[in-house]
Amino acid sequence: MPNRQLSEAQARRLIQLYTDAEREILTEYNKALLKGNDLKNLTALKNNVAAIRKDLLAGGRTWCEEAVSTVYQAALAEVDKGLVAETAFGAIHQQAMQVLAENAYARLQDVDLVIGRRADDVYRNLALEAVRGDVAGYQTWKQTAKRYREMLAEKGITGFKDAAGREWNMRSYTEMVARTTTREVMINGTANRLLEHGQDLAEITGGSAKNTCEICKGWTGRTISLTGKTPGYPTLEDARAAGLFHPRCTHLIAIA
């Protein structure tokens, strides 16, 4: 399987994992809202969502370890094939994979925190409405439940903004994490293997007229120095500083 297809297949695994979990959480909310204004139902909702979050984090951890290993080793093999050479799998690669996996998992932990805050907010608000419903009557609760079902259906579980002010929901953020992670793994694996073979130059590949922004377009096909030791070429860090390899960027590096 070509490396881009392999990366995409791994990314889709994580996207599906989080899509299924969000569906489960929404189902739990709807069940609790339809059962009526009973604090026992809301407590069960909170516990069920916590269990789903726990399973989701465990699944995310497994994905980080498996996807990083699979994509990284595919990048090494691609370089070896292109240079008609082979190098042992050294400690540097194990360390790189561990760092990449931990970085990806930290992003998934951010998602979990958002889900947790969201679930706690909804629980507190609904618990207050349930108490109010006991006083004001069942019709008040039905109106509240209807409003929350509509809100959750429209916005999902995790509508939030990141530090850069970009807006995400659970699926879009997971998709970004999945594709950014697999791309970074491919770039790092390729760069590390090239340097092992004594190759400092690499070519920027990928992108298309459909999905390439103006910043990235100018880098397609250019040769870069991985370390800055080869005069006359921009470095990998220069490319990053210029905005290449941003979230959802489709560019990679390859043998020059």
Side-chain angles (χ1 to χ4, degrees), residues 118-137:
R118 176 72 163 157
D120 288 345
D121 287 344
V122 172
Y123 171 80
R124 284 193 294 267
N125 290 336
L126 288 177
L128 289 172
E129 292 290 349
V131 173
R132 187 177 297 117
D134 286 340
V135 177

Side-chain angles (χ1 to χ4, degrees), residues 126-204:
L126 288 177
L128 289 172
E129 292 290 349
V131 173
R132 187 177 297 117
D134 286 340
V135 177
Y138 185 62
Q139 284 302 119
T140 300
W141 169 258
K142 285 181 64 177
Q143 292 168 3
T144 299
K146 180 175 182 293
R147 187 175 76 250
Y148 269 89
R149 287 201 305 273
E150 291 172 349
M151 179 184 67
L152 291 167
E154 179 185 353
K155 297 183 178 180
I157 303 300
T158 57
F160 66 99
K161 287 186 179 181
D162 64 14
R166 292 173 296 222
E167 293 189 359
W168 305 94
N169 57 38
M170 189 164 170
R171 179 181 173 84
S172 65
Y173 188 76
T174 304
E175 182 179 350
M176 183 276 290
V177 169
R179 296 209 163 97
T180 299
T181 296
T182 54
R183 187 198 68 233
E184 281 299 309
V185 171
M186 190 69 69
I187 290 170
N188 278 273
T190 301
N192 289 342
R193 196 60 140 189
L194 284 171
L195 291 172
E196 271 191 316
H197 287 301
Q199 303 286 324
D200 181 54
L201 298 180
E203 180 185 345
I204 304 293

